[in-house]
Structures are given as C-alpha cells and as structure tokens.
Amino acid sequence: MPGETRVQASGTGREAGTTPGAVLIDGVAVAKAVRADVAAETAALKARGITPGLTVVIVGEDPASQSYVRSKEKASIEAGMKGETIRLPASAPQAELEAIIDRLNADPSVHGILVQSPLPKHMDANTVVRRIAPAKDVDGFHPVNVGKLLIGEKDGFAPCTPAGVQELLVRYGIDTRGKEVVIVGRSNIVGKPMAALLIQSGAGADGTVTVCHSRTRDLAFHTKRADIVIAAIGRPEMLTGDMIRPGAVVIDVGINRVDDPSASKGYRLVGDVHFDSARAVASHITPVPGGVGPMTIAMLLKNTVRAARQAGV
Ligand code: NDP
C-alpha cells in the first residue's frame, strides 16, 4: 500500500527481559498510523472544500454501545472530520430510525452512516441496514457491499474488524500469498467477510482459506496446518498452543470478559486464544486487548474518508 506506514516486522514486538516468544502485533500502534493517514487525507479533502462526515445513530442505553459510540465520535473529530451522534430512546419506533436514515442518505455533508448494534428487540436489523445508502454504509453490512466484497469490487466497503485484521497483516509485512489461512468463526461481521477479503487476488490476500465453525469435525486438524490462524469464536481462550503449528501467525479477534476478583472492575478481557501457550509457539500474535480491537475504529475512519473521496462533494 503505497504511502502507508509499515511497522517493523521483527524485533520490535518482543518485550525486553521476557522469555522468547512470538512477536507481538501492536494494534494500538498500527491503528494510530492508520488514523494519522486518515487525518492527512481528511486535511487534503478539506483543502478541496470537502469535510468528511460520519454520523452514528444509537438506539437505547446499552452502556457498552454508548461507550463505543463516544469513541467513534471522538476519533472522527480527532481525525478532522465532522463527527455526529444521534441518540434515540430504546422505545423509538423503527419508522423513526428509518426516517433519520433517509434524511442522512440525502444529506451531502454526511458521507458515512453507522447504526450501532445491537438494536432493541422490536427493530429488524436487516431492514435497517438495507435502508442505508450503500455508498454511505461505512460499516460494510449492506448486501450491496457484501456482494462487492465477494466479487472484489474495490469501491465497496468491507466490514471494519476483518478489514483491520488484513491491515495488521499488511503493515507487519506478513505475506498471505498462497498461505494456508484458517479462520475459526463464520459470522457475517467477522468470519465470512474475513474469508472474502483473503481469497481475493492481490496484495494482502491470495490466501488459501479454510473457514471453521461449531460443526467442524476436527478443529485442531485444521488450525495445526495453518500458516495464519484467525480466531473469531467468542469463547474465552479456546484456541490453545497445542492447536497451533510452530511459527504460525495468530490473530485473535475475540474480546471476552472473564471474572477476575483481583481486577479493579472484577473482570478482565481475554481473547479467543490462550495467549501464553499460543505465544510460546507462534511467530506473531495479537494481544487482547491492544491487538485487533483498536483497528476497528481506525478502519471505520478509513472507510469514511474514502466514502467522502468517492462522493466528491
Ligand atoms: P459470533 O458468535 O457471531 O460467531 C462465532 C463463530 O464461532 C460462529 O461461527 C460459531 O460457529 C463459531 N464457534 C463457536 N463455538 C465454536 C467451536 N467450539 N468451535 C468452532 N467454532 C465455533 O461472534 P462474532 O463473529 O460476532 O465475534 C467473535 C469474537 O470476536 C467475539 O469474541 C467478539 O466479542 C469479538 N469481536 C471483536 C471485535 C473487535 O472489534 N475486535 C468486533 C466483533 C467481534 P456457528 O456459526 O456454527 O455457531
């Protein structure tokens, strides 16, 4: 990716004084680099009279969602964009949300629209996501963007978390071409789009991809032969070191809360990978937190600035 910052692939991720193990893939640093690139592109667009605009719509009071939305608004403003959040009560009828989406679709100062999930139970998420104009669907969940991703059309938007994983691999110089990539998880927001990204031809892709799920007969058989394992399972520390081929790259998308009375909040965050045992055999590994997590918002901003560039207004 010309003009983008690459992270030194070896030597930098190991902490001094610790036992040798995998290089840590630093998602905080890569996300910062992506956000700096986005800020530079935002400044260039503003010089042409275009201010990229991201509007997030949240329905209800879920504390975790409220916190994600605040982070998204803050990050977009820090990048120089117009960041806005629209808040609706949990009782709002779906028609009200749809009317807001229609207004945002028609507003030329809004380039990206994101409806925070989960929606309240009385709303139908599939209908809501189809209401967003595909050209403003920076979350990449509209079927038009899902189709473009699969076909390999570059003007669509890929979902931010798998796009962030691909960005980490590229910026760490991890070659995916011809490599055995095993993805554990087949959700529409992570596993399936991850596979769609990595089977494309071209830089950061060209992988030989296997997708595993809860019906996979012998999970370890697949993960053990992988050059790159991507875990998006939602089960704390399920993928252990003995399931990983020595020297493999391990990407942990999982974010799970586990009880920990010794932690100030009474819990701590762990991934879907058992970090210590996997780190001992892998060549590279993402920590949780601080690996894939920070990439999601960075890629949302990257999608938004491209939406603004593509809209050209
Ligand atoms: P989902 O629950 O939607 O999907 C989980 C997938 O894992 C399913 O395909 C499921 O299979 C599969 N699975 C479950 N148990 C097993 C098993 N024992 N063996 C093999 N496969 C299994 O989760 P998401 O994709 O939404 O999220 C995955 C993880 O990533 C979660 O921890 C989530 O918190 C995290 N996440 C992190 C993000 C970030 O920003 N870093 C963003 C989004 C998610 P099946 O389809 O058969 O049920």
Side-chain angles (χ1 to χ4, degrees), residues 148 152-157 200-201 306 310:
K148 285 188 173 189
E153 284 185 16
K154 303 281 185 226
D155 66 340
F157 298 103
Q200 301 304 320
S201 55
R306 183 158 59 81
Q310 289 177 183

Side-chain angles (χ1 to χ4, degrees), residues 2-32:
E4 292 187 342
T5 325
R6 274 233 171 156
V7 179
Q8 191 72 35
S10 61
T12 54
R14 293 193 178 103
E15 293 147 27
T18 59
T19 49
V23 171
L24 284 186
I25 295 179
D26 184 347
V28 175
V30 176
K32 199 171 160 196

Side-chain angles (χ1 to χ4, degrees), residues 68 160-162 165 183-192 211-216 219 231-236 238 243 252-257 270-272 288 291-297:
Y68 293 144
C160 302
T161 300
V165 170
I183 300 166
V184 191
R186 57 172 167 185
S187 73
N188 289 332
I189 63 167
V190 189
K192 282 184 202 161
V211 181
C212 300
H213 45 77
S214 69
R215 302 299 166 113
T216 296
L219 182 62
I233 317 167
R235 291 182 184 251
M238 201 192 98
M243 299 168 78
D252 189 354
V253 181
I255 304 177
N256 308 287
R257 277 187 185 190
V270 299
D272 293 342
V288 177
V292 175
M295 293 302 295
T296 300
I297 290 183

Side-chain angles (χ1 to χ4, degrees), residues 137-141 145-146 148-149 153-164 166 189 193-194 196-197 296 299-300 303 306:
D137 167 41
V138 286
D139 236 359
F141 296 142
N145 284 316
V146 176
K148 285 188 173 189
L149 173 60
E153 284 185 16
K154 303 281 185 226
D155 66 340
F157 298 103
C160 302
T161 300
Q166 187 180 43
I189 63 167
M194 189 76 252
L197 280 166
T296 300
M299 300 311 287
L300 174 68
N303 277 350
R306 183 158 59 81

